[in-house]
Amino acid sequence: MSLGKQIRLSRLLNPKSGRIFVVAFDHGVNRGVLPGIEDIRAKLAAVVNAGVEAVTLNKGIASKLFPPHAGKASLIMKASGFSPFHKSYDVLFADVEEAVRLGADAISVGIIMGDERQPEMLKGLGMISKEAQSMGMPLVAHIYPAGNLIPESERYSAEHISYCARVGAELGVDIVKTWYTGSPESFAKVVEACPTYVVVAGGPKMESSMDLLKMTYDAVSAGASGVTYGRNVWQHDDIPGVISAVKAVIHKEKTPEEAAKMIIKGS
């Protein structure tokens, strides 16, 4: 591993736990202007000021809004996205040079596995991986078995999630972000199959904070290296509380019940 990549990874990973907690704000391209990020300037400030360790932003938002937060949290620049009009195709729209210029500590790319265009997306991931390696930039990949070749009933299976994680490792990804399989036992198989960092995606807003904390606890217990959450943080009524609670589970291995006491409002 190059020195540049080691330095950037050290800023992303907690020095005591070796794990990571990221809040993603890339939904504007993927899903539109969702409730909670209409005023993304204010919401980004709230999340960073609450002590999150890294945020994922598209290049335009990063360029305009991240400068006041430099040094407070790490920046992960998103280099691709799907949209409400092509949900199973993640297209590249940025490169490693832009991530370096923005001062990012990592670049991230999305891949939808099980789609007819999977080969094209993997080709793009391979090219970004090559550039990232040559420039000492950690690579994050959001890899989900969400293509229309995979039945919805099978998308959270350990078999498909393991394949996603392993493909990331095979192509040089440093941190794989993917779905939680539903149990520590099944997710442990995903971690075992992937010789690189694996983090859990939050997905849609969960019914309660306890559900979120339990998934976080179970994932970490199964070997996950952390989480990347979006709506479950910036749509929460108590952003400082939920960030503190998730950090306590990830870095201090607090139980969901112990961590939930840090949340003073909201469910």
Side-chain angles (χ1 to χ4, degrees):
M1 183 184 297
S2 70
L3 177 59
K5 182 177 284 192
Q6 287 181 325
I7 290 172
R8 292 182 175 97
L9 275 176
S10 73
R11 291 195 288 253
L12 289 168
L13 301 171
N14 183 280
K16 293 184 178 179
S17 70
R19 301 187 183 116
I20 185 173
F21 177 25
V22 184
V23 171
F25 286 95
D26 58 332
H27 301 66
V29 172
N30 298 345
R31 303 185 183 278
V33 185
L34 296 178
I37 52 170
E38 300 94 339
D39 185 353
I40 193 168
R41 184 190 304 271
K43 198 54 65 86
L44 176 62
V47 166
V48 173
N49 291 337
V52 78
E53 292 145 348
V55 293
T56 300
L57 302 172
N58 288 310
K59 59 184 179 181
I61 299 298
S63 178
K64 292 178 176 65
L65 303 184
F66 191 73
H69 309 298
K72 301 176 186 176
S74 286
L75 169 64
I76 300 173
M77 190 201 79
K78 188 74 181 296
S80 74
F82 58 90
S83 85
F85 311 105
H86 49 86
K87 297 179 180 179
S88 62
Y89 180 52
D90 233 282
V91 62
L92 287 169
F93 45 57
D95 58 29
V96 179
E97 182 183 353
E98 291 175 290
V100 172
R101 188 165 62 248
L102 287 171
D105 285 320
I107 185 170
S108 68
V109 176
I111 303 292
I112 308 298
M113 303 293 282
D115 186 82
E116 289 91 346
R117 292 164 292 192
Q118 176 180 312
E120 182 181 343
M121 288 182 273
L122 290 181
K123 181 179 179 180
L125 176 61
M127 295 302 100
I128 291 288
S129 176
K130 177 183 177 181
E131 294 175 10
Q133 182 66 28
S134 68
M135 301 183 77
M137 177 66 68
L139 174 59
V140 180
H142 308 194
I143 312 185
Y144 312 117
N148 55 21
L149 300 177
I150 302 176
E152 289 191 21
S153 61
E154 298 178 8
R155 291 181 179 177
Y156 287 86
S157 71
E159 178 184 1
H160 288 309
I161 301 292
S162 293
Y163 176 58
C164 290
R166 183 57 171 265
V167 166
E170 296 277 357
L171 295 188
V173 172
D174 299 291
I175 300 173
V176 171
K177 173 191 171 189
T178 193
W179 291 332
Y180 183 59
T181 53
S183 72
E185 295 77 17
S186 60
F187 198 74
K189 297 178 182 178
V190 176
V191 174
E192 182 182 10
C194 183
T196 192
Y197 297 106
V198 180
V199 303
V200 168
K205 182 74 160 59
M206 302 188 83
E207 291 187 3
S208 70
S209 298
M210 185 59 71
D211 289 341
L212 181 70
L213 295 174
K214 186 177 188 308
M215 183 177 76
T216 305
Y217 181 84
D218 288 347
V220 170
S221 298
S225 296
V227 300
T228 296
Y229 293 156
R231 286 163 282 183
N232 284 290
V233 172
W234 42 256
Q235 286 183 343
H236 202 281
D237 294 332
D238 183 7
I239 288 175
V242 74
I243 287 177
S244 295
V246 171
K247 288 174 67 175
V249 173
I250 294 173
H251 302 315
K252 299 180 181 179
E253 300 184 354
K254 295 292 186 181
T255 66
E257 292 75 16
E258 292 171 327
K261 296 176 182 178
M262 302 178 179
I263 301 173
I264 59 174
K265 56 183 177 179
S267 60

